[in-house]
């Protein structure tokens, strides 16, 4: 399971701030964090960079 919410909170940034870094709507971040949908695999490196983490940090 992706730990986007935990990683985002460790960076002390809001969903809005993360969305702005990624150039997407805030609602998409919320959907990822609640498990409603998941980011595309191709988006993961960009998300990791925005959260200052490694791809392996996303997974339990």
């Amino acid at each position: 399971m992706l730990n986007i919410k935990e990683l985002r909170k460790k960076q002390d940034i809001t969903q809005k701030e993360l969305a702005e870094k990624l150039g997407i709507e805030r609602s998409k971040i919320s959907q990822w964090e609640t498990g409603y949908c998941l980011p595309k695999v191709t988006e993961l490196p960009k998300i990791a960079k925005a959260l200052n983490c490694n791809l392996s940090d996303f997974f339990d």
Side-chain angles (χ1 to χ4, degrees):
M1 176 159 201
L2 292 176
N3 293 318
I4 293 174
K5 184 175 185 176
E6 288 178 33
L7 294 166
R8 178 180 59 77
K9 289 190 174 232
K10 283 182 184 179
Q11 293 296 315
D12 195 32
I13 61 173
T14 65
Q15 288 182 347
K16 182 180 178 184
E17 291 169 328
L18 179 57
E20 288 172 355
K21 285 184 175 189
L22 298 173
I24 61 174
E25 296 290 324
R26 187 210 53 83
S27 62
K28 185 59 75 175
I29 304 297
S30 177
Q31 291 173 356
W32 294 344
E33 290 183 356
T34 61
Y36 182 76
C37 69
L38 298 174
K40 295 177 184 175
V41 172
T42 56
E43 296 174 313
L44 292 178
K46 187 175 180 181
I47 299 167
K49 184 176 179 179
L51 293 172
N52 298 312
C53 67
N54 298 314
L55 290 175
S56 61
D57 294 330
F58 287 130
F59 306 97
D60 291 325

